[in-house]
Amino acid sequence: MVRLAGVGLLALVFPMVSMQSGPAKVRVGDGPSYTADGQLKFPEKYREWVFLSSGLDMSYDPKPMDMGSSTFNNVFVNPEAYRAYQQTGHWPEGTEIVLENRAADKGTRSASLNKAGKTQSTQMTGLEVHLLDSARLAPKHENDGWGFYSFSNPVSAEVIPRAANCYSCHEQHAAVDTTFVQFYPTLLDAAEKHRTASASFLKEMQGK
Amino acid sequence: MVRLAGVGLLALVFPMVSMQSGPAKVRVGDGPSYTADGQLKFPEKYREWVFLSSGLDMSYDPKPMDMGSSTFNNVFVNPEAYRAYQQTGHWPEGTEIVLENRAADKGTRSASLNKAGKTQSTQMTGLEVHLLDSARLAPKHENDGWGFYSFSNPVSAEVIPRAANCYSCHEQHAAVDTTFVQFYPTLLDAAEKHRTASASFLKEMQGK
């Protein structure tokens, strides 16, 4: 009885803080929506969202296998989440970050003019989402309200189970709120200004 | 007298068509703004505009000089122009396309995790604009309402004179309305649907 009462008191004193690492967050309205059975709907308008960055052939392996082709990764976020982040250095509830993988063009449309370098083709090779929705995901994901989704169709996707290594890698290496702000050049100033970079990321940078 | 009357009649029958290659265009309101002395103001919010694509180390030369570094080209357009283009396959008056050049990251912030491939750094190396404003530019530019601008500061820029080779190259090779839609994968469908690709571009594609 005493122990249960103690737990209740803690929950009362820290009703939100116990659910996530930062302070209680506002919720933005232009982020995720779900099907009746709880799947994430495909973010139809993401190409009109705010672009964060594009990388080419990023790899965790210093000498990745040569696949004979290249892939761009384009990252977008819903506009209200972008603006809230720029004001606070933290992502609000309802943040939806979209990673679009797109094959580099081998010149079928562009070779007449672009003789070297790489451009983006019409061939998409994948679409993944990383979102913050504590009300929905924190109960499934222990103390973390973030979830990953990988779309195999342009309709809907299930959340990826918490044991997947995307979660642990983001937790260990991501600059802000388990997101890879270190790769998004226009987001770094807000992290610095509001001192919201993670301890693990700052430690990694010091070790360089 | 007769000759003058004839010109007047033509101008009456084709009051707008004579100014540009397509039909008369709507004007969108979220595009260019100018200083009192007619310079284009720096597009402060372009990173919240619609992303069109990102290329890496594009070059007109099949064997460009190895500069020991890489550059990404990110392209953005004002949202109202994007929506009008998607509906019609043509760019409206007030279209403002921004080309941002950004150095690829050599790993100062990201090498701990990204062991290969390229990411975008905080170092911008240039910003150029291509815009359609016939009322302002057509009188200066013969029958063409498009203008190029290159910013050497984040305040304002003069229009680049019409004799510069950016104009002739875009006129000769660009897929739609002198813009390089061939490099913007999400814009190609509208050009195909509305048959707005230029004759010179279609001919180049047939020659491949």
Side-chain angles (χ1 to χ4, degrees), chain A residues 78-160:
Chain A
N78 46 324
E80 290 182 24
Y82 173 84
R83 289 182 202 119
Y85 173 90
Q86 294 290 27
Q87 285 170 11
T88 63
H90 278 299
W91 292 111
E93 291 287 337
T95 293
E96 183 168 6
I97 297 170
V98 176
L99 172 69
E100 178 201 69
N101 299 318
R102 194 172 278 274
D105 201 317
K106 290 182 175 174
T108 48
R109 288 179 192 265
S110 60
S112 61
L113 192 63
N114 177 43
K115 306 294 187 191
K118 295 182 192 302
T119 59
Q120 301 197 11
S121 80
T122 52
Q123 187 195 347
M124 273 181 58
T125 57
L127 192 134
E128 296 164 30
V129 163
H130 188 199
L131 65 79
L132 176 59
D133 190 342
S134 294
R136 181 174 294 261
L137 294 172
K140 294 182 193 170
H141 283 184
E142 297 160 12
N143 286 330
D144 184 342
W146 288 90
F148 289 94
Y149 300 76
S150 180
F151 285 82
S152 55
N153 62 63
V155 181
S156 63
E158 295 267 13
V159 66
I160 294 174

Side-chain angles (χ1 to χ4, degrees), chain A residues 47-64 72 74 76 79 82-83 100 102 105 107-123 169 173-174 180 182-186 188 192 201 204-205 208, chain B residues 47-64 72 74 76 79 82-83 100 102 105 107-123 169 173-174 180 182-186 188 192 201 204-205 208:
Chain A
R47 286 286 308 203
E48 296 181 38
W49 289 2
V50 177
F51 170 71
L52 294 183
S53 197
S54 183
L56 183 79
D57 295 336
M58 295 167 71
S59 173
Y60 301 122
D61 185 340
K63 292 186 178 177
F72 283 94
N74 299 319
F76 304 84
Y82 173 84
R83 289 182 202 119
E100 178 201 69
R102 194 172 278 274
D105 201 317
T108 48
R109 288 179 192 265
S110 60
S112 61
L113 192 63
N114 177 43
K115 306 294 187 191
K118 295 182 192 302
T119 59
Q120 301 197 11
S121 80
T122 52
Q123 187 195 347
C169 182
H173 298 287
F180 284 137
Q182 59 261 54
F183 300 128
Y184 310 141
T186 59
L188 285 160
E192 201 159 328
F201 172 71
E204 272 184 12
M205 288 302 99
K208 292 192 62 63
Chain B
R47 286 284 311 201
E48 295 181 38
W49 289 1
V50 177
F51 170 71
L52 295 183
S53 197
S54 183
L56 184 78
D57 295 336
M58 294 167 71
S59 174
Y60 301 122
D61 185 340
K63 292 186 178 176
F72 282 95
N74 299 318
F76 304 84
Y82 173 84
R83 289 181 202 120
E100 178 202 70
R102 195 173 277 276
D105 202 318
T108 48
R109 289 179 192 264
S110 59
S112 60
L113 191 62
N114 176 43
K115 306 294 188 192
K118 295 183 191 301
T119 60
Q120 302 197 11
S121 79
T122 52
Q123 188 194 347
C169 182
H173 299 287
F180 284 137
Q182 60 262 53
F183 299 127
Y184 311 141
T186 60
L188 285 160
E192 201 160 330
F201 172 71
E204 272 184 12
M205 288 303 97
K208 291 191 64 63

Side-chain angles (χ1 to χ4, degrees), chain B residues 2-20:
Chain B
V2 171
R3 201 166 149 223
L4 280 172
V7 170
L9 185 63
L10 267 177
L12 195 69
V13 175
F14 304 107
M16 290 301 293
V17 175
S18 63
M19 300 293 281
Q20 43 189 272

